[in-house]
Amino acid sequence: MKSTKTSASAAATQATPAGPLPIDHITPLLGGMSPETFMRRYWQKKPLLIRQAMPGVRPPIERSKLFALAGQEEVESRLIVREHATGSAVVKKSRGKAAVSTPGQWQLTHGPLSRRSLPPLDQPGWTLLVQGLDLHVPAAYDLLQQFRFVPDARLDDLMISYATDGGGVGPHYDSYDVFLLQVHGQRRWRIGPLKDTRLQDDVPLKILTHFVPEEEHVLEAGDMLYLPPGWAHDGIAQGECMTCSIGFRVPEGTDLAREVLIRWMEGMDTIDKPRLYQDPKQAATSTPGLIPDALRQFTADAVARLMKDPAGLQSALGEILTEPKPRIWFQSGEPLPDGAGVRLDPRTRMMYDEQRVFANGESWRAGGKDARHLRQLADQRFLTASVVAQVSEAVRELLNQWAEDGWLHPLA
Ligand code: SIN
Ligand code: CO
């Protein structure tokens, strides 16, 4: 079992559990479509503007708390300051931070960002981006749960952007799908298919040189814009504005293969008995620098043997996909009180396949009733007290261990 990591500042959430949205129910979130229909018609295919996807939505965090969060070491934040084309806005230098800047255009500063390093509220054209808000703020975690009609293996995080009038990150494209949910004020989005991928030189952000918008929409609080990967977009705040971006993970094939192979081989050390190279037929050589053919064949055989173990690949994949995000620490907890239900910590990643259950980079084999209970926990992210009362001794022990590790908590 992984050793428990601790962090004083990682707060446990009091989020009310909610299971995933039923996939055949029509929902305002998707403009009166069901998740099934949305996925079939729009996902990875074409943009969708949804007016009042979340009527009455409130920002998951208030401005002053967001600014305080951006100052924390374990929170990923960025400040982007833009000088207006007229040159009328004065760009304030971020004190004490190394900033990559281009005179007269854009300035990017990576967090942690003290309140003093943020420009004044009445300065137009700046944006604060805070990544992974769902890991730190219960309301953001709850909001993200509504998008679990997409597999957790693809769902990444909720980023929030705070902008003053005219603020934005410039015309760009992302390699992932994104839902852009307006939660406060107004933002004017211009979007268009990506025809020219060239980026501006000498700017610290990826900004398109030739952005040709085809549509323009002003989003009010509650409105949402879905964009598939590779759609050019530029969102400019009209007055003070806050936007939540629900982003997705896009594994790159070679990177994923590399990670899986490394993990797969690590797992193999423990299950495969060592096979030592033998060369009783090696003749005396007058070319000692030459790699023997037999050794090349021995290596090829070893790799082929590894590839014949698909279970190893599945374990490695599940462990990699549930690996906690960098800078994530769990606060150790208490064993579960008798009669309690459980809910996963927002930072816990839990998934499963036909044979195994994965959580936070580890895997367990599970079948029968145990698998049913653990899969239910992965899908709902909570188990009621009545379900916990039915679990086997082995699952109970696992849940207790996870509670002590801070991976889950008693259900309030
Ligand atoms: C923003 O909210 O300012 C940027 C989000 C995005 O363009 O993906
Ligand atoms: Co974007």
Side-chain angles (χ1 to χ4, degrees):
M1 185 70 61
K2 185 186 245 172
S3 62
T4 305
K5 303 162 191 166
T6 53
S7 159
S9 57
T13 178
Q14 292 303 312
T16 314
L21 218 55
I23 59 168
D24 56 351
H25 282 205
I26 59 163
T27 167
L29 181 73
L30 299 169
M33 243 180 286
S34 66
E36 265 176 350
T37 307
F38 170 82
M39 293 303 278
R40 210 174 41 247
R41 291 198 193 146
Y42 291 92
W43 178 252
Q44 299 240 303
K45 298 169 195 74
K46 54 185 177 184
L48 177 65
L49 172 68
I50 305 155
R51 293 289 180 197
Q52 292 307 290
M54 287 196 199
V57 72
R58 315 232 341 129
I61 186 167
E62 57 190 66
R63 186 177 68 195
S64 58
K65 292 202 171 120
L66 180 66
F67 291 174
L69 204 61
Q72 291 184 17
E73 194 69 49
E74 68 273 29
V75 176
E76 196 185 327
S77 60
R78 280 167 292 163
L79 170 67
I80 293 157
V81 182
R82 178 182 199 174
E83 188 177 1
H84 282 192
T86 56
S88 56
V90 179
V91 177
K92 182 182 160 186
K93 275 255 174 273
S94 296
R95 276 169 283 188
K97 298 295 305 174
V100 191
S101 76
T102 305
Q105 287 192 0
W106 301 92
Q107 186 187 54
L108 167 69
T109 312
H110 288 280
L113 300 155
S114 68
R115 180 63 190 89
R116 286 174 63 247
S117 66
L118 300 179
L121 293 176
D122 60 3
Q123 178 179 311
W126 64 271
T127 293
L128 171 69
L129 301 169
V130 173
Q131 211 73 48
L133 196 71
D134 49 296
L135 303 173
H136 309 285
V137 176
Y141 171 78
D142 289 348
L143 209 155
L144 189 63
Q145 302 313 297
Q146 301 195 43
F147 296 85
R148 292 185 69 227
F149 53 85
V150 181
D152 288 344
R154 292 280 272 122
L155 195 55
D156 189 9
D157 74 338
L158 187 144
M159 179 188 86
I160 193 160
S161 71
Y162 168 87
T164 57
D165 186 37
V169 302
H172 67 282
Y173 69 97
D174 300 308
S175 48
Y176 49 83
D177 308 74
V178 65
F179 291 94
L180 298 154
L181 173 68
Q182 194 62 21
V183 292
H184 170 69
Q186 293 181 330
R187 190 185 286 273
R188 183 165 57 92
W189 285 101
R190 293 181 305 148
I191 65 170
L194 187 64
K195 295 197 173 134
D196 185 338
T197 56
R198 274 175 296 171
L199 300 174
Q200 282 183 32
D201 287 333
D202 306 325
V203 277
L205 305 170
K206 288 187 172 167
I207 296 179
L208 290 166
T209 39
H210 295 93
F211 172 49
V212 187
E214 284 189 357
E215 289 174 35
E216 182 172 315
H217 307 285
V218 175
L219 268 67
E220 315 259 353
D223 294 345
M224 186 165 77
L225 179 63
Y226 162 73
L227 293 177
W231 268 72
H233 52 287
D234 186 19
I236 297 178
Q238 298 196 158
E240 182 185 67
C241 116
M242 280 165 111
T243 308
C244 288
S245 302
I246 292 90
F248 293 84
R249 303 164 85 185
V250 191
E252 193 286 316
T254 309
D255 289 346
L256 187 62
R258 186 184 301 113
E259 271 191 81
V260 162
L261 285 172
I262 291 169
R263 177 79 67 139
W264 193 355
M265 294 205 67
E266 284 168 1
M268 242 199 135
D269 289 343
T270 56
I271 55 167
D272 204 12
K273 55 181 179 316
R275 285 164 207 248
L276 301 180
Y277 177 63
Q278 294 173 334
D279 54 358
K281 293 189 182 151
Q282 174 67 56
T285 182
S286 54
T287 52
L290 181 65
I291 295 168
D293 254 3
L295 184 53
R296 189 189 43 75
Q297 191 54 51
F298 177 78
T299 310
D301 291 347
V303 172
R305 225 179 26 252
L306 179 69
M307 298 292 174
K308 274 195 208 131
D309 170 28
L313 178 135
Q314 280 168 253
S315 287
L317 179 61
E319 290 173 16
I320 285 166
L321 291 175
T322 58
E323 198 60 66
K325 289 201 162 185
R327 294 195 267 185
I328 284 303
W329 301 86
F330 289 93
Q331 218 169 6
S332 49
E334 303 289 322
L336 291 171
D338 280 341
V342 294
R343 63 178 173 83
L344 293 178
D345 186 273
R347 290 157 290 195
T348 286
R349 283 182 160 166
M350 186 176 180
M351 298 174 202
Y352 58 88
D353 63 21
E354 282 80 17
Q355 278 88 35
R356 286 166 213 78
V357 170
F358 307 97
N360 294 335
E362 297 188 25
S363 56
W364 294 263
R365 283 191 77 87
K369 195 173 103 176
D370 287 358
R372 221 173 43 249
H373 287 142
L374 290 169
R375 289 173 189 180
Q376 192 180 351
L377 177 59
D379 286 336
Q380 287 187 166
R381 296 187 63 83
F382 71 92
L383 291 178
T384 58
S386 65
V387 174
V388 174
Q390 296 165 36
V391 303
S392 68
E393 198 46 46
V395 170
R396 171 88 201 171
E397 259 176 47
L398 191 64
L399 297 181
N400 257 326
Q401 183 61 57
W402 290 5
E404 287 179 31
D405 290 345
W407 293 10
L408 55 75
H409 309 284
L411 189 58

